[in-house]
């Protein structure tokens, strides 16, 4: 391998690391919303049953938060490899780490990234419409700026695609490093540090 | 070839592509994208964001992260360990008692967490070594744990039932109510089976020396321990389910109150540390995201499948089956059972059920009954060798001395029990529908 190549790889590894850091950080931020959701819905229930005081804005805020959790948490979940796989083969005994890296590389290139692009492209008019119409909640007392929450759909898949790029880099690393045990050990250490 | 036939081929391609092992959500989406692009044009996918929007604004589905939060929080509060310990003390002196206590704890954990993998793993880690240490036969021990851990599918409030309710189009409360009697039936039969084994083959399920155990944990009274460990989670479950059944609160609302209750319980037990709280929040985020990303992928699949007329083809095929309604029931249950070997509940719920549920409703099959049959069926499927999910979960955490063949053998009687109950539900639909109807009437008066 030439030094130039090595430099390029190192820079890519740096990029992957940056993406993963960002993914971890964003996921941790988003996770606070789950606690907020518990408290908010509990508060809402209490107010409604004890004081007969319901609020449309509050209810809308609740599903806004719900949507934020699963949309913005998606890339973070991908980073933790917790999107369910059918692991009959993937976790079979004869599958080496290297073969799994091939699956991840193939899947990210041909499944994840194209699907991300499809949704980003097809969601764009959906968001744009809402923006140009200045769409508000149709209910009186509802939340304004509906395009903001609609924009979370493409954003979810932008973040997923970004994480996908990190996966591609990591997979290539695993595949190329598979031959020399020394470098795979280095990889393992860096992964453990990430976890 | 006609387009409908290609829709069926797409179904086959999806199953094959899933076997590669890349995350389900994106595999579903990408395969649908290819078939949709070829047969319907990419403009067709403008419908997709609207469907995603439908998921985002669905107030009932909001119950899913809340129930997940409640379950994980309870798990972190250490209630499972304590339940297993005190129940073991309570029942352990009887032959087979330790296994019975595991069924009861499994049912209770199922009612609070409703996440199959988590329950099987938790009990496998805590209870399996205890059972083996006290001389239980490996087959009986593993079978009991796998079967009890899988109860989370059917015992409300389960995530599975919430998702099914949404897909089939019935109120969540109705499904919860419909699952109560079948769930209790299963628990009872599991216990009866264990008692029979303990009676006929005492060496398979020995009584344990409770005095020794009690000495190990100090002198605090057993009854105090039972009350402090059993009552709070029981109270929580009763409050959550009760408020739904009596129409006091929507499932979403009672889920939030349940989650708050779990936090309070953790505070009382001095387990609400920052790592526990953060762990719960992060795990909830990831599980929620996992579920709903699959829903997005499955939505893409469903859109394309219907756009290509696949649903009409399946409907025609199902209508032509001999035996009418019964033929349809047999075939759909068999298909779900077999798919349950390969696919997780969420995938089947989002991909397969939307195709067959409308046919069931068209045939005048009670949707609540149908949904419970699906849940029961899948639960059995998850236990069935060689691919049942619960078996793998258990193998993963079992001591190395436990062989997978022992787990396979141990689970067979429980599968027979489950299949008998499934048959019973099919023969006597009232077992399922009686409680939801009663609930309806009561709410009608209230």
């Amino acid at each position: 391998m030439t030094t130039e190549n090595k430099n390029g790889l190192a820079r890519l590894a740096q990029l992957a690391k940056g993406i993963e850091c960002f993914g971890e950080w964003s996921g941790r931020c988003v996770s606070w919303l789950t606690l907020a959701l518990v408290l908010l819905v509990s508060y809402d229930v209490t107010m409604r049953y004890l004081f007969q005081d319901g609020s449309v804005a509050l209810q809308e805020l609740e599903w806004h938060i719900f949507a934020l959790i699963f949309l913005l948490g998606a890339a973070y979940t991908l980073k933790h490899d917790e999107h369910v796989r059918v692991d009959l083969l993937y976790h079979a005994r004869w599958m080496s780490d290297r073969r799994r890296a091939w699956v991840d590389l193939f899947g990210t290139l041909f499944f994840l990234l194209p699907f991300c692009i499809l949704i980003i492209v097809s969601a764009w008019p959906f968001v744009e419409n809402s923006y140009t119409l200045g769409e508000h909640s149709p209910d009186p007392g509802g939340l304004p700026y509906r395009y903001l929450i609609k924009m979370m759909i493409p954003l979810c898949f932008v973040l997923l695609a970004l994480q996908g790029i990190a996966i591609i880099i990591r997979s290539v690393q695993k595949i190329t490093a598979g031959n020399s045990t020394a470098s795979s050990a280095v990889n393992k250490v860096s992964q453990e540090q990430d976890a | 070839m006609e387009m409908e036939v290609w829709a069926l081929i797409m179904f086959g391609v999806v199953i094959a592509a899933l076997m590669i092992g890349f995350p389900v959500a994106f595999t579903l989406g990408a395969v649908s994208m290819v078939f949709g692009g070829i047969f319907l044009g990419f403009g067709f996918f403008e419908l997709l964001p609207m469907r995603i929007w439908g998921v985002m604004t669905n107030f009932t589905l909001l119950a899913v992260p809340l129930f997940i939060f409640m379950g994980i929080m309870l798990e972190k509060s250490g209630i499972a360990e304590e339940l297993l310990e005190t129940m073991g003390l309570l029942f352990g002196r009887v032959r087979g008692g330790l296994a019975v206590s595991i069924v009861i704890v499994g049912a209770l954990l199922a009612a609070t967490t409703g996440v199959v993998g988590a329950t099987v793993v938790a009990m496998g880690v805590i209870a399996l070594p205890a059972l083996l240490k006290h001389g239980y036969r490996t087959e009986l021990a593993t079978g009991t744990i796998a079967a009890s851990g899988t109860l989370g599918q059917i015992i409300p409030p389960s995530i599975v039932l919430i998702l099914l309710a949404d897909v089939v189009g019935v109120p969540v409360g109705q499904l919860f109510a419909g699952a109560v009697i079948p769930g209790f039936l299963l628990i009872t039969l599991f216990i009866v089976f264990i008692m029979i084994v303990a009676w006929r083959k005492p060496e398979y399920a020995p009584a344990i020396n409770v005095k020794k155990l009690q000495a190990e944990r100090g002198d605090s009274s057993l009854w105090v321990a039972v009350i402090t460990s059993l009552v709070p989670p029981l109270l929580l479950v009763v409050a959550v389910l009760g408020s739904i059944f009596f129409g006091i609160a929507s499932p979403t609302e009672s889920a939030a109150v349940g989650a708050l209750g779990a936090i309070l319980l953790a505070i009382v037990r001095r387990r609400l540390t920052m790592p526990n709280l953060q762990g719960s929040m992060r795990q909830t985020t990831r599980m929620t995201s996992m579920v709903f990303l699959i829903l997005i992928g499955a939505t893409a699949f469903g859109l394309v499948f219907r756009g290509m007329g696949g649903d009409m083809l399946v409907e025609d095929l199902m209508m032509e089956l001999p035996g009418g309604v019964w033929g349809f029931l047999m075939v759909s249950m068999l298909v779900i059972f077999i798919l349950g070997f390969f696919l997780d509940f969420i995938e089947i719920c989002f991909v397969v059920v939307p195709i067959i549920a409308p046919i069931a409703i068209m045939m005048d099959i009670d949707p609540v009954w149908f949904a419970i049959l699906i849940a029961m069926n899948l639960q059995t499927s998850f236990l069935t060798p060689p691919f049942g999910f619960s078996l793998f979960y258990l193998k993963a955490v079992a001591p190395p001395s436990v062989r997978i063949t022992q787990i396979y053998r141990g689970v067979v009687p429980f599968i027979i029990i489950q299949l008998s109950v499934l048959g019973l539900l099919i023969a006597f639909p009232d077992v399922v529908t009686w409680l939801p109807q009663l609930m309806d009437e009561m709410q009608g008066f209230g």
Side-chain angles (χ1 to χ4, degrees), chain B residues 156-198:
Chain B
S158 99
I159 311 288
V160 164
L161 292 177
I162 299 175
L163 300 178
L164 256 183
D166 184 60
V167 172
V168 177
V170 291
V172 173
Q174 290 271 313
L175 265 202
F176 280 4
V180 168
I181 297 178
F184 266 102
L185 223 84
L186 275 183
I187 299 168
T188 315
L189 289 177
F190 284 179
I191 292 176
V192 168
F193 165 73
I194 292 167
M195 299 301 267
I196 291 177
V197 171

Side-chain angles (χ1 to χ4, degrees), chain A:
Chain A
M1 215 180 270
T2 63
T3 34
E4 213 170 281
N5 256 340
K6 262 187 188 163
N7 264 334
L9 278 181
R11 219 172 282 161
L12 282 178
Q14 208 66 37
L15 176 65
K17 199 157 184 162
I19 293 173
E20 282 163 358
C21 280
F22 173 72
E24 186 63 36
W25 172 81
S26 69
R28 287 180 181 190
C29 291
V30 168
S31 76
W32 283 96
L33 290 175
T34 60
L35 183 64
L37 189 64
V38 171
L39 298 177
L40 210 60
V41 180
S42 302
Y43 170 80
D44 188 17
V45 176
T46 319
M47 291 311 276
R48 191 129 25 96
Y49 287 101
L50 294 186
F51 308 103
Q52 271 78 43
D53 182 24
S55 147
V56 176
L58 203 58
Q59 274 214 332
E60 289 197 353
L61 188 60
E62 284 159 20
W63 63 250
H64 275 65
I65 290 179
F66 162 61
L68 286 175
I69 291 171
F70 77 82
L71 289 174
L72 298 187
Y76 168 65
T77 310
L78 183 63
K79 187 202 165 242
H80 282 258
D81 193 13
E82 286 187 24
H83 283 294
V84 170
R85 304 167 183 264
V86 177
D87 52 6
L88 225 53
L89 303 179
Y90 190 81
H91 282 149
R93 212 166 300 152
W94 45 268
M95 281 287 286
S96 59
D97 277 352
R98 204 165 158 202
R99 286 189 179 137
R100 291 195 187 107
W102 275 108
V103 169
D104 288 340
L105 180 63
F106 173 86
T108 309
L109 282 174
F110 295 104
F111 292 164
L112 176 65
L113 291 183
F115 188 55
C116 287
I117 294 169
L118 175 74
I119 294 204
I120 294 165
V121 170
S122 55
W124 197 247
F126 181 71
V127 179
E128 206 178 20
N129 255 341
S130 174
Y131 180 76
T132 46
L133 290 174
E135 190 186 4
H136 283 229
S137 163
D139 297 310
L143 299 177
Y145 307 124
R146 193 143 267 195
Y147 73 93
L148 278 178
I149 187 74
K150 286 187 171 175
M151 198 145 72
M152 295 305 134
I153 301 175
L155 183 59
C156 164
F157 286 87
V158 168
L159 293 176
L160 275 170
L162 205 60
Q163 185 59 39
I165 292 170
I167 292 178
I168 290 174
I169 297 171
R170 292 295 186 203
S171 308
V172 170
Q173 265 183 330
K174 277 181 208 157
I175 291 166
T176 53
N179 298 327
S180 61
T181 40
S183 53
S184 76
V186 169
N187 258 332
K188 232 177 215 161
V189 168
S190 73
Q191 270 171 16
E192 272 159 19
Q193 280 168 347
D194 289 344

Side-chain angles (χ1 to χ4, degrees), chain B residues 31-368:
Chain B
V31 173
S32 319
M33 175 181 174
V34 170
F35 278 83
I38 293 173
F39 291 98
L40 306 164
F42 285 105
F44 178 78
F45 288 102
E46 274 176 24
L47 292 168
L48 195 50
M50 292 172 209
R51 297 301 171 92
I52 299 174
W53 178 246
V55 176
M56 292 161 69
T57 55
N58 185 324
F59 197 72
T60 309
L61 290 179
L62 230 149
V64 172
L66 294 170
F67 274 129
I68 292 177
F69 190 102
M70 168 178 158
I72 296 175
M73 198 73 221
L74 275 179
E75 187 198 312
K76 301 253 189 240
S77 73
I79 205 83
E81 288 95 334
E82 204 176 301
L83 271 176
L84 278 168
E85 192 189 355
T86 51
M87 292 311 246
L89 285 174
L90 196 60
F91 292 111
R93 64 192 83 212
V94 191
R95 282 209 307 255
L98 208 53
V100 169
S101 71
I102 283 170
V103 175
I104 293 174
V105 174
L108 207 58
L109 288 181
T112 54
T113 60
V115 183
V116 172
T119 318
V120 174
V121 167
M123 296 211 303
V125 169
I126 309 162
L128 186 55
L131 280 175
L132 296 178
K133 194 178 83 187
H134 291 293
Y136 271 68
R137 196 166 162 93
T138 310
E139 280 84 353
L140 182 65
T142 52
T144 305
I145 290 176
S148 314
T150 315
L151 285 170
Q153 297 279 333
I154 192 97
I155 294 189
S158 99
I159 311 288
V160 164
L161 292 177
I162 299 175
L163 300 178
L164 256 183
D166 184 60
V167 172
V168 177
V170 291
V172 173
Q174 290 271 313
L175 265 202
F176 280 4
V180 168
I181 297 178
F184 266 102
L185 223 84
L186 275 183
I187 299 168
T188 315
L189 289 177
F190 284 179
I191 292 176
V192 168
F193 165 73
I194 292 167
M195 299 301 267
I196 291 177
V197 171
W199 170 49
R200 302 291 301 177
K201 304 248 182 192
E203 70 276 15
Y204 280 21
I208 59 171
N209 188 343
V210 175
K211 284 223 178 74
K212 209 172 108 193
L213 262 186
Q214 229 163 359
E216 278 170 21
R217 64 187 299 277
D219 52 8
S220 72
S221 159
L222 172 61
W223 289 105
V224 172
V226 167
I227 288 167
T228 54
S229 70
L230 189 61
V231 168
L234 207 59
L235 213 63
L236 203 58
V237 173
V238 169
V240 166
L241 288 184
S243 61
I244 298 175
F245 289 165
F246 291 107
I248 299 168
S250 73
T252 306
E253 292 167 342
S254 63
V257 176
L260 194 65
I263 296 177
L264 293 179
L265 191 63
I267 293 177
V268 171
R269 299 169 58 85
R270 298 175 191 282
R271 290 293 192 101
L272 193 77
T273 57
M274 202 53 178
N276 275 352
L277 178 64
Q278 284 176 334
S280 302
M281 295 186 322
R282 289 172 192 171
Q283 226 174 315
T284 306
T285 304
R286 297 197 295 262
M287 276 185 73
T288 307
S289 206
M290 179 272 282
V291 170
F292 289 106
L293 262 285
I294 294 181
L295 181 53
I296 291 177
T299 303
F301 175 84
L303 268 178
V304 173
F305 190 81
R306 273 190 294 279
M308 291 168 70
D311 54 336
M312 303 303 275
L313 180 61
V314 173
E315 194 184 302
D316 289 346
L317 291 175
M318 289 292 194
M319 290 295 193
E320 275 169 30
L321 286 174
V325 173
W326 294 107
F328 163 73
L329 262 183
M330 287 284 290
V331 171
S332 52
M333 287 300 143
L334 196 68
V335 168
I336 289 177
F337 186 75
I338 293 170
L339 286 176
F341 291 160
F342 310 103
L343 305 182
D344 204 346
F345 182 87
I346 305 161
E347 290 108 270
I348 294 178
C349 182
F350 291 149
V351 176
V352 183
V353 178
I355 300 174
I356 57 167
I359 306 174
I361 290 166
M362 220 168 54
M363 287 180 156
D364 267 340
I365 295 174
D366 183 341
V368 172

